[in-house]
Amino acid sequence: MVDTLAIGASAINAYRQSLSTTSNNIANVNTPGYTRRDLQIAEGFPVAEGTFQFGSGSAAISVGRAYDEFIEKALRDSTSDLEVNEPILKYTNRIIDIMGSEAASLSGALDRFFNSAEQLSTDPRSAALRGDFLSASEIVAGRFNDLALQVDNIADESETALRDSVDEVNAITSQLFKVNQQLNRRDSIHLQPPGLLDQRDTLLRDLSALVKIGVRELDSGQVIVNFGGSGRGFEIVTNLKSKDIGVFSSSNSGGADLRLLLDPSGAKRPLPSAVGGTLGGALSFRGDVLRPVRVGMDHLAKTFAAEVNNVHRSGLDGNGAFGKDLF
């Protein structure tokens, strides 16, 4: 005969554990990385009496996580797409500020230079007008040098930020590999400690803020992580090892050609530059904004100096001799 009191007791015990799980969820509502837990309740082992099977109540089987792989992937991808804009906007706005500053603008210095040249053309023998012209020339040269120095400072800061991001990526991938090693102790993800899986997903989210990643989850809960997104073929974390990434620049470029390498101490495979996250944003800024600004300023300075020097050499000084280069 089935014990009805035992059935009731099993139900009370199962839902007591369910209440405990709910209480734990409430207690950790603000805990970073915590995923809501779900208690799995199943029917107790039936009791056979003659030709009949009678239920024996219910029992708590396991505590799992309220986890959706596709939602998690969408969150990581959205984070990468959002974070890629942060360094681009940050450093581009600084370049816009120094270029548009009235106190340090190049356009104001050029206007003064051409105005003084026009005034000097009306009375080339005037010592005062010659002095104004030379002063305006020095101001133009100084503005070019000041702007170049400030752009170089921004370039140095963006390179430092880029290298810091690379160090962060390597630190996170190393931690992910250690988590993979712990997950390797069990064959099924359903048997893994929820807290360990939470740690894994937190690391993946932090990594996605730095670079776009592709994640493949194994049956055990271990992850294979691809740099730059799924299907790119650049595995930085596997169930067997993790690989560092490094920054490469030719010795004579002054950091103008920064590139990423996979396994810099080994195979040294070149990595793509459009990789999302703050790391991809720093690379995009240097390639799409910083490099054109530097090239444009160099071209403007060289063209301006060459044209002015050409005109200056064709003129005569106060002693009737041909002029020399002004810049």
Side-chain angles (χ1 to χ4, degrees):
M1 186 74 181
V2 176
D3 188 348
T4 55
L5 292 179
I7 292 176
S10 70
I12 291 174
N13 185 56
Y15 284 96
R16 179 183 61 81
Q17 295 179 31
S18 180
L19 182 61
S20 176
T21 302
T22 301
S23 299
N24 187 61
N25 287 335
I26 295 173
N28 288 281
V29 67
N30 292 318
T31 301
Y34 180 84
T35 302
R36 181 172 60 84
R37 309 289 196 253
D38 285 333
L39 180 69
Q40 305 297 321
I41 299 177
E43 181 184 4
F45 193 76
V47 176
E49 290 191 8
T51 59
F52 300 100
Q53 296 282 336
F54 293 96
S56 60
S58 61
I61 298 178
S62 64
V63 176
R65 302 188 309 151
Y67 172 80
D68 189 304
E69 179 182 355
F70 299 103
I71 293 178
E72 193 70 24
K73 179 182 183 303
L75 175 61
R76 290 194 298 264
D77 290 344
S78 298
T79 300
S80 295
D81 294 340
L82 178 63
E83 292 297 329
V84 73
N85 297 311
E86 194 274 333
I88 296 176
L89 293 175
K90 174 183 176 181
Y91 295 116
T92 301
N93 284 335
R94 288 184 56 186
I95 287 182
I96 292 174
D97 288 342
I98 64 174
M99 292 295 182
S101 170
E102 292 185 5
S105 70
L106 189 59
S107 60
L110 290 173
D111 288 342
R112 178 177 175 180
F113 173 82
F114 287 116
N115 288 336
S116 63
E118 183 179 3
Q119 290 294 322
L120 180 59
S121 66
T122 62
D123 187 5
R125 293 182 178 275
S126 171
L129 294 179
R130 284 174 177 266
D132 288 342
F133 177 73
L134 290 175
S135 176
S137 301
E138 291 176 354
I139 291 175
V140 170
R143 290 288 169 84
F144 270 113
N145 290 331
D146 289 343
L147 288 175
L149 179 60
Q150 293 185 64
V151 170
D152 286 344
N153 289 337
I154 294 174
D156 291 341
E157 288 184 32
S158 67
E159 180 177 348
T160 300
L162 174 65
R163 293 183 182 275
D164 289 344
S165 294
V166 168
D167 291 340
E168 288 184 58
V169 169
N170 291 336
I172 293 175
T173 54
S174 178
Q175 293 178 62
L176 271 173
F177 174 62
K178 292 179 181 179
V179 172
N180 268 351
Q181 288 180 307
Q182 296 179 63
L183 292 171
N184 191 44
R185 298 169 184 171
R186 293 179 173 86
D187 295 333
S188 173
I189 191 173
H190 302 293
L191 302 177
Q192 301 290 1
L196 187 58
L197 295 174
D198 282 351
Q199 182 183 355
R200 179 203 69 180
D201 290 340
T202 298
L203 290 171
L204 289 172
R205 291 171 195 165
D206 292 343
L207 186 58
S208 68
L210 295 167
V211 62
K212 192 177 185 67
I213 57 175
V215 179
R216 179 164 63 91
E217 186 177 81
L218 304 181
D219 293 338
S220 61
Q222 295 173 290
V223 288
I224 310 297
V225 182
N226 271 274
F227 184 94
S230 300
R232 302 298 291 269
F234 301 105
E235 292 181 348
I236 52 177
V237 180
T238 69
N239 56 332
L240 301 176
K241 60 182 178 180
S242 64
K243 293 181 181 179
D244 286 344
I245 63 172
V247 182
F248 171 80
S249 175
S250 56
S251 58
N252 59 352
S253 70
D257 63 342
L258 294 180
R259 290 174 288 169
L260 298 178
L261 295 176
L262 177 62
D263 193 15
S265 301
K268 298 181 180 180
R269 292 180 59 195
L271 290 169
S273 57
V275 293
T278 54
L279 185 56
L283 288 171
S284 295
F285 164 75
R286 295 184 65 87
D288 300 335
V289 179
L290 180 62
R291 184 176 300 167
V293 167
R294 277 178 154 173
V295 171
M297 284 187 61
D298 286 346
H299 177 72
L300 177 60
K302 290 178 181 178
T303 302
F304 174 77
E307 293 297 327
V308 172
N309 287 341
N310 186 45
V311 174
H312 202 256
R313 286 195 301 268
S314 65
L316 301 176
D317 62 15
N319 298 319
F322 284 104
K324 298 180 181 180
D325 287 344
L326 180 63
F327 296 106

